[in-house]
Amino acid sequence: MPLLLLADEQPEMVARYIDRGDMWVLTSKDASKDGVPAVAECLVTDEGAGVLEMKSLAVAPAHQGRGYGRALIEHVARTYAGRYRVLRVGTGDSPLTVPFYERCGFKRSHVVSHFFTDNYDHPIYEAGVQLVDMVYLVREL
């Protein structure tokens, strides 16, 4: 749950998709002294019409910048290729997240205006920017 809440900080929002998706977890024997081996997680859902949506992608802060997020994206792309037409992700319009997905082969698709301000009970900030709109990006599979 801590990794899920790192990607989506409001538990009620996680509850909207957690029971209808496939979760992938990257583990390491040395990831944590407290015995929790999760390094990263990714949860994807079938949105119909050949669209697989990545609802959550998070890497534990101590392991960020090492390629684990990209590795999970590539694993998902390989695993679901041939079964889905595109992999889609929705994220805040952040100077950290959008460029990351673009480097992973995603292209901007569309925007849902005021998604974060309409659906979260508190303002969400990333890299000093308040997230207001949801930016959707897609990658052909």
Side-chain angles (χ1 to χ4, degrees):
M1 191 56 121
L3 281 176
L4 284 167
L5 293 175
L6 184 61
D8 196 340
E9 62 187 66
Q10 189 165 311
E12 296 82 8
M13 295 300 282
V14 173
R16 291 183 179 187
Y17 55 78
I18 194 165
D19 290 334
R20 63 183 188 89
D22 295 336
M23 178 178 275
W24 297 93
V25 177
L26 183 62
T27 62
S28 169
K29 288 187 282 186
D30 301 321
S32 173
K33 293 178 184 172
D34 62 7
V36 180
V39 171
E41 65 79 24
C42 178
L43 191 141
V44 294
T45 59
D46 181 343
E47 297 300 311
V51 176
L52 181 69
E53 186 166 323
M54 194 168 10
K55 295 290 192 179
S56 178
L57 175 67
V59 177
H63 300 282
Q64 291 176 358
R66 298 182 187 174
Y68 295 125
R70 180 184 294 268
L72 274 175
I73 290 170
E74 294 307 321
H75 174 76
V76 165
R78 281 190 311 275
T79 300
Y80 294 95
R83 291 193 278 168
Y84 292 89
R85 185 176 49 79
V86 297
L87 177 59
R88 176 174 74 190
V89 63
T91 188
D93 198 1
S94 159
L96 294 177
T97 327
V98 172
F100 165 75
Y101 285 116
E102 290 173 336
R103 287 190 306 274
C104 291
F106 289 83
K107 304 220 179 303
R108 287 179 182 253
S109 171
H110 63 283
V111 172
V112 176
S113 296
H114 306 289
F115 178 86
F116 289 96
T117 52
D118 289 347
N119 289 285
Y120 286 80
D121 63 8
H122 62 283
I124 308 234
Y125 292 89
E126 185 172 295
V129 175
Q130 182 178 358
L131 305 182
V132 175
D133 301 332
M134 174 81 78
V135 177
Y136 279 94
L137 301 100
V138 295
R139 174 177 160 173
E140 299 292 324
L141 293 179

